[in-house]
Amino acid sequence: MTKIVIIGGVAGGASAAARARRLSETAEIIVLERGEFVSFANCGLPYHISGEIEARDALLLQTPESFRHRFNVDVRVFNEVIAIDKHRKEVTVRRVLTGEIYLESYDKLLLSPGASPVKPPIPGINSHYVFSLRNIPDMDQILSSLLLNQPQHATVVGGGFIGLEMVEALHHLGIKVTLLELSDQVMAPVDREMANMLHQKLVEKGVDLRLNTGLAAVTELEIQPAEPEATGEYDKQIEHTNTLELMLSTGEMLKTGLVVLAIGVKPETMLANQAGIELGARGGIKVDARMCTSDPDIFAVGDVVETEDFVTALPSLVPLAGPANRQGRIAADNMLGRREIYRRTQGTSICKLFDMAIGSTGLNEKTLKRLKLPYEKIYVHTASHASYYPGAHPVTLKLLFNPTDGEILGAQAAGLDGVDKRIDVLAVAQRARMSVYTLQDLELTYAPPFGSARDVVNQAGMVASNILKGDEAVCHSEELLLGASDQIVLDVRNPPELEASGTFPNAINIPLDQLRQRLHELPKDKEILVACQVGLRGHVACRMLIQHGFKARNLTGGFKTYQMVTTKF
Ligand code: FAD
């Protein structure tokens, strides 16, 4: 009988425990969780704060009792593992409520302790009004602070998934929000021009977005609450709800009622490190494809481990629920003698921001540049479903691919509708090692309410394949900005569009439908950078120009992408 001990009872740990029982009725399975809850929906926490998920209980997917009844797993909450002895194959456990210490032996040990929110050593960071959000108690504390202090202003520090979800949640509650982000963009997994769509949305919703701005210090203000008896109005007490003064990295001061810190997470490796388990280059636990650590009887999964990046095979830290769940299942298989392999992480993710979604899979352009990997990129802005059927919105899709063989390197999409579907299709295509050529052939569902006969993904595949086949050369907004003397910019949109949307600097305007008659106006000794609104008419114009002996390249994504690239927030 194998005795499996699991540290951490949420995403990775709970999946492993359930899988282990499905594989073995005889194994002894113990889950040690230092918190009060196991198997809770951490991804749902911001939505309970906003009130969109009304019932707190909806976040509790399993309890120790339900786990015991269904899976015969011994789940011990409020039990923290404080040491691992890999030679004696036992862990030291502290009962959190009593302080009592005991030893528990194991045959196989699984580490799924997750990652903890980064809390930089900023003066005043330990204030009662500064919160992180990782678990149910964190959520409860934020909710009670909201209830007790009724802040009219809150500050979210960090524009990643959790930061953005908290901005939306607080906004939903009618609280004015400032978002501080140290870099020049929110949502690090996508590139800056794609994140600009989020910046636009945040500003549109009245969020005070401050990019290139960090938190430098926190000071609690001395509050003199009005006496309810004296004023006779209880509500007067909450006029002074700005309980904090923040110093920002720019030197500015900001009064606020509550701070949510969401500047990232770091793997909880202390236990593993102290036990002499090898860590990797990125600071997570190093595991092989079986999720086994440097000790053959100790496995690790979830936010605490480094896995190989899908494209580069370089070690990566990807704190997402999908990988944690799948790894938990694989680790359980391997602990019970099977041989299952975890096949790298793509980092497929999505985030909702108000009525918008932004998602990505694979590598982004920033990373490709940093690693000096060859890539080409295209943008399409294609309707989420037949544009004549109500409710269609453009999906802005950026596709990154290998310019030699068309390997899909990464994809990012944003819009009001249909983003999840396109990123999911592209994540599958990437995992199946399809090239951009194959994207043209994908036969996807179509009826007017759902898609188009030529889906966004097909469209992206066609545009990318045109480049690979030499049917079209593209240029990018960055090149247009250079204004090289041996190039001219030809805008083939109709004049009313220029008035409505804006113009490219120093561009000649010849609408596409007049181009064939006005070719003589264009120079043959200069390269023509052709541009339209989204790239489609530019392609038609380019094909015409090339066949008439001109040297031409099409601006991928057209003016819409140009605006995304050039707008500063
Ligand atoms: P966790 O689920 O964090 O579980 C680790 C558990 O181990 C914790 O309960 C901890 O108390 C316990 N533990 C740690 N040390 C010890 C110890 N020494 N002894 C005993 N117990 C210990 N991912 C997505 O893919 N999509 C989302 O939309 C999404 N939204 C999120 C929203 C929020 C607010 C948060 C916090 C996370 C979100 N994530 C999301 C990330 C996702 O939840 C994590 O990637 C996933 O939970 C990681 O699983 P894990 O098992 O590694 O760690």
Side-chain angles (χ1 to χ4, degrees), residues 8 10-12 32-34 42-43 81 112-114 134 271 302-303 319-321:
V10 191
L32 301 168
E33 167 55 56
R34 71 172 168 215
N42 26 20
C43 308
V81 176
S112 188
R134 180 182 179 183
L271 263 183
D303 290 0
L320 289 171

Side-chain angles (χ1 to χ4, degrees), residues 27-291:
E28 182 182 356
I29 306 168
I30 300 171
V31 173
L32 301 168
E33 167 55 56
R34 71 172 168 215
E36 185 182 351
F37 303 97
V38 283
S39 196
F40 63 89
N42 26 20
C43 308
L45 302 177
Y47 301 102
H48 182 56
I49 292 176
S50 71
E52 284 155 288
I53 298 176
E54 281 180 26
R56 182 174 176 274
D57 281 359
L59 301 172
L60 305 174
L61 307 175
Q62 292 278 353
T63 61
E65 295 70 37
S66 66
F67 239 108
R68 174 177 291 288
H69 284 133
R70 179 158 300 173
F71 296 109
N72 186 25
V73 170
D74 178 3
V75 177
R76 303 180 194 164
V77 291
F78 289 129
N79 277 247
E80 180 178 19
V81 176
I82 53 172
I84 300 167
D85 186 333
K86 60 180 183 177
H87 303 294
R88 296 172 69 91
K89 293 180 73 169
E90 61 187 22
V91 293
T92 308
V93 191
R94 186 176 68 93
R95 289 193 214 279
V96 174
L97 299 180
T98 60
E100 187 192 333
I101 306 278
Y102 67 95
L103 296 175
E104 192 67 62
S105 65
Y106 63 82
D107 296 320
K108 299 286 176 197
L109 178 66
L110 176 66
L111 309 179
S112 188
S116 53
V118 172
K119 203 172 176 187
I122 291 170
I125 200 79
N126 292 322
S127 158
H128 293 307
Y129 304 102
V130 177
F131 301 90
S132 296
L133 180 62
R134 180 182 179 183
N135 49 34
I136 303 254
D138 291 344
M139 177 189 76
D140 290 344
Q141 279 182 24
I142 294 176
L143 280 172
S144 57
S145 182
L146 290 172
L147 198 67
L148 282 174
N149 303 311
Q150 304 270 318
Q152 280 138 33
H153 183 273
T155 302
V156 174
V157 188
F161 294 94
I162 298 175
L164 290 175
E165 287 169 3
M166 279 308 299
V167 165
E168 186 179 341
L170 293 163
H171 182 276
H172 196 85
L173 295 172
I175 298 169
K176 173 102 183 104
V177 187
T178 293
L179 172 59
L180 306 179
E181 168 55 59
L182 198 54
S183 90
D184 63 354
Q185 68 160 94
V186 299
M187 194 52 123
V190 302
D191 294 310
R192 195 184 60 88
E193 76 283 12
M194 297 296 292
N196 261 347
M197 293 180 73
L198 297 176
H199 301 155
Q200 182 75 47
K201 180 60 67 182
L202 288 163
V203 170
E204 219 176 273
K205 289 286 178 182
V207 173
D208 170 28
L209 170 67
R210 305 207 193 180
L211 298 173
N212 304 300
T213 308
L215 178 63
V218 180
T219 312
E220 280 191 19
L221 296 172
E222 292 226 354
I223 291 162
Q224 307 278 330
E227 284 289 325
E229 291 83 2
T231 64
E233 292 170 62
Y234 177 77
D235 281 353
K236 283 267 165 70
Q237 280 193 69
I238 55 177
E239 275 178 3
H240 47 59
T241 52
N242 286 332
T243 45
L244 298 174
E245 186 164 49
L246 311 181
M247 192 209 272
L248 311 185
S249 58
T250 53
E252 292 161 290
M253 305 302 285
L254 177 71
K255 288 206 170 73
T256 194
L258 172 139
V259 170
V260 178
L261 266 189
I263 55 175
V265 295
K266 58 174 189 319
E268 286 218 23
T269 51
M270 204 170 73
L271 263 183
N273 198 23
Q274 284 170 353
I277 292 166
E278 198 180 337
L279 303 187
R282 305 290 310 275
I285 297 177
K286 199 171 173 179
V287 287
D288 62 16
R290 297 164 53 245
M291 307 312 299

